[in-house]
Amino acid sequence: MPNRAVIGTQWGDEGKGKVVDILSESSDIVARCQGGANAGHTVVCDGNKFILHLIPSGILHPDCICLLGNGVVIDLDQLFREMEHLNSQGIETRGRMFVSGFAHLVLPYHKWTEEVNERRLGDHKIGTTLRGIGPAYTDKYARAGIRVYDLFQPDSLREKLEANFASRSDVISEFKNEYAADIPWLHAKLCEYGRRLEGMAVDGPRFLSDARAAGKTMLFEGAQGTHLDIDFGTFPFVTSSNTTIGGAMTGLGIPPFFVDEIFGVVKAYSTRVGSGPFPTELTDSLGETIRGRGQEFGATTGRPRRCGWLDLELVKRSVMINGIGYLALTKLDVLDGLSEIRVCVGYNFREQGQKQIDSPFFDLRAVEPAYRIFPGWSDSTTGARNLSDLPAKAREYVDFIQEYTGSRIALISTGPSREDTILIPPLASHTVRVSAR
Ligand code: IMP
């Protein structure tokens, strides 16, 4: 079985959770490489809805082991909450959930710092998820971050906390009434978490290398999407990690040859949450219709997602950056019944005569999309399980996505449940189990 990586090709929320859930059926290990509790996966399994922020959806498969890699910033309150929730639903996490000892932690003061930063930016705010992600990565690169392994060394942990409190005394003083603004309280809590992490904290690169040597199949799970990447996204309206394929290498400590196949997940239309350019955004009632049908509300923050047409230029760029071999197309059913469907296949600069810039990706605010218009389909695609179940016009849409991006579609999702999925070679022989338990 190939080891696969799953990467978002848009601005996140492409439906990676369901794709990872399906592909992890044939994986022994699912390893997440970056991001933190800013992600939100909704997976419907066995009629139950699971919303996971940190834990990979592979946990829903009883034989699958999950790892949070060193590139993930871990909010331990959230991790233990998710584990307890899964356990209460009969999904055992003990012995199946591991974290890299090299992973940095998201601590309460990161969330407070972010709240203050966003407030200061006013109208120019990034619109982050307020999960402390940016400040946690900032501490990592400032070499001030606290890692999982630090929890096993109480004395140096206390010194690090003291230094971090001192360097952000302005923020701490604003939140001085919170429990976690008290160093002894936070230190004791982190030491307690350290005890709970015994047996769960591993040397991530060694863990994955040994797994490969033992012939285990691995799935490498990216979070967010290519256009939220800190380097290649719509900067500064991006997240603080590499959401692209390089993030899988550095975020797990694996060499490139560990990845046999790269899957890009693309939603049949576009969404984004937070601020930032979005050339194909629909701010009219059609945008609202798509939001309602696609239930486009953030799994993490509940915020309504901005909706618009599929931007194939963005997706094509994602295919290039990540070396995507196969696409998983999600939420095709949301487009059922629309009279026409537009797809962005290029851009025009809004202001004629402005200085030519090499690439519109330098500043997507300066462009208007050039659309290719497709007739809509009136028949339903909801729940379709075979390509032959799709109306001819939906097939035309699907074929065009493949042709334009130069990447083959191997999976089409036609509804929230596992079973509402069309599998195409090389996945055609893959089994989709209705119940994981
Ligand atoms: P942060 O990752 O919380 O710092 O947020 C930075 C930007 O990335 C904001 O626009 C967020 O809305 C967006 N973002 C972060 N995580 C996700 C995600 O999982 N899906 C979609 N957007 C996200």
Side-chain angles (χ1 to χ4, degrees):
M1 272 291 179
N3 295 324
R4 296 175 170 129
V6 175
I7 301 283
T9 63
Q10 294 157 303
W11 285 291
D13 305 319
E14 295 94 352
K16 290 182 294 297
K18 174 170 168 178
V19 175
V20 168
D21 174 51
I22 288 177
L23 295 182
S24 44
E25 176 80 48
S26 57
S27 307
D28 301 303
I29 295 175
V30 179
R32 201 179 139 184
C33 20
Q34 41 69 228
N38 49 350
H41 294 330
T42 308
V43 182
V44 180
C45 144
D46 211 9
N48 295 321
K49 188 164 150 182
F50 294 92
I51 300 182
L52 301 170
H53 297 284
L54 267 176
I55 299 184
S57 38
I59 202 78
L60 302 175
H61 294 275
D63 300 327
C64 195
I65 281 176
C66 295
L67 172 74
L68 297 181
N70 55 282
V72 178
V73 284
I74 304 179
D75 177 341
L76 289 172
D77 290 331
Q78 179 67 31
L79 176 65
F80 288 121
R81 240 192 329 266
E82 281 182 29
M83 286 173 65
E84 279 156 21
H85 176 68
L86 287 164
N87 292 341
S88 73
Q89 300 294 305
I91 295 167
E92 182 60 77
T93 57
R94 216 171 356 160
R96 300 181 52 220
M97 186 67 229
F98 296 90
V99 299
S100 169
F102 301 112
H104 282 248
L105 301 180
V106 177
L107 295 173
Y109 53 76
H110 293 128
K111 295 181 195 166
W112 303 336
T113 306
E114 182 162 33
E115 200 179 314
V116 171
N117 289 348
E118 284 283 88
R119 201 187 317 134
R120 280 189 193 139
L121 284 170
D123 290 345
H124 301 289
K125 72 176 182 185
I126 308 296
T128 71
T129 58
L130 296 175
R131 295 298 189 266
I133 306 299
Y137 280 115
T138 303
D139 271 3
K140 170 172 175 172
Y141 290 102
R143 289 158 289 183
I146 293 180
R147 306 195 290 181
V148 167
Y149 277 148
D150 287 316
L151 303 185
F152 305 134
Q153 298 174 51
D155 292 341
S156 68
L157 173 64
R158 183 187 294 274
E159 281 167 24
K160 287 179 183 176
L161 283 176
E162 281 164 0
N164 283 341
F165 271 58
S167 67
R168 40 166 64 85
S169 53
D170 53 336
V171 171
I172 304 277
S173 66
E174 200 181 314
F175 293 86
K176 61 178 180 298
N177 294 328
E178 304 275 348
Y179 285 121
D182 178 52
I183 296 178
W185 186 92
L186 185 58
H187 181 260
K189 184 165 182 198
L190 291 176
C191 290
E192 162 60 20
Y193 278 160
R195 285 188 283 276
R196 287 175 78 175
L197 282 170
E198 269 167 33
M200 269 175 78
V202 294
D203 172 359
R206 167 63 52 208
F207 184 87
L208 293 174
S209 179
D210 288 349
R212 188 169 190 270
K216 305 275 185 209
T217 304
M218 297 177 275
L219 185 69
F220 308 116
E221 176 184 334
Q224 291 85 42
T226 296
H227 298 283
L228 286 175
D229 184 278
I230 185 74
D231 287 295
F232 308 115
T234 44
F235 191 88
F237 302 103
V238 292
T239 191
S240 303
S241 60
N242 282 115
T243 58
T244 43
I245 191 68
M249 315 296 118
T250 54
L252 293 169
I254 53 166
F257 62 81
F258 270 32
V259 186
D260 301 310
E261 287 177 358
I262 302 173
F263 273 70
V265 185
V266 52
K267 187 151 59 179
Y269 49 95
S270 305
T271 60
R272 101 169 273 175
V273 271
S275 319
F278 184 175
T280 63
E281 182 170 11
L282 289 164
T283 50
D284 55 8
S285 59
L286 185 54
E288 268 174 47
T289 304
I290 292 177
R291 182 177 310 120
R293 283 198 200 166
Q295 281 302 294
E296 296 294 353
F297 298 90
T300 302
T301 58
R303 289 181 290 181
R305 295 181 185 138
R306 299 156 66 194
C307 297
W309 296 120
L310 176 60
D311 188 333
L312 275 188
E313 276 297 300
L314 285 182
V315 177
K316 194 171 166 182
R317 188 171 170 83
S318 302
V319 168
M320 172 185 80
I321 292 174
N322 296 296
I324 288 169
Y326 299 103
L327 287 172
L329 177 66
T330 62
K331 292 194 154 183
L332 184 64
D333 53 302
V334 172
L335 300 181
D336 287 358
L338 297 185
S339 56
E340 63 169 38
I341 295 170
R342 293 177 178 227
V343 177
C344 173
V345 289
Y347 306 105
N348 298 312
F349 288 105
R350 202 172 287 117
E351 281 179 35
Q352 293 303 317
Q354 81 172 22
K355 189 167 161 277
Q356 190 72 37
I357 49 178
D358 287 347
S359 157
F361 295 98
F362 177 74
D363 186 1
L364 278 184
R365 287 170 307 184
V367 300
E368 296 278 7
Y371 284 119
R372 161 112 185 214
I373 303 179
F374 287 83
W377 50 89
S378 47
D379 297 334
S380 167
T381 66
T382 307
R385 294 178 191 185
N386 295 295
L387 266 184
S388 55
D389 296 339
L390 293 182
K393 286 177 180 148
R395 281 291 293 269
E396 210 182 301
Y397 188 66
V398 169
D399 288 344
F400 185 72
I401 295 171
Q402 303 195 103
E403 190 188 308
Y404 197 83
T405 59
S407 188
R408 274 171 55 199
I409 294 180
L411 181 158
I412 303 175
S413 167
T414 57
S417 300
R418 274 185 187 156
E419 316 88 81
D420 299 338
T421 307
I422 300 172
L423 296 172
I424 304 158
L427 292 184
S429 55
H430 194 89
T431 25
V432 177
R433 248 195 290 170
V434 177
S435 166
R437 285 176 279 153

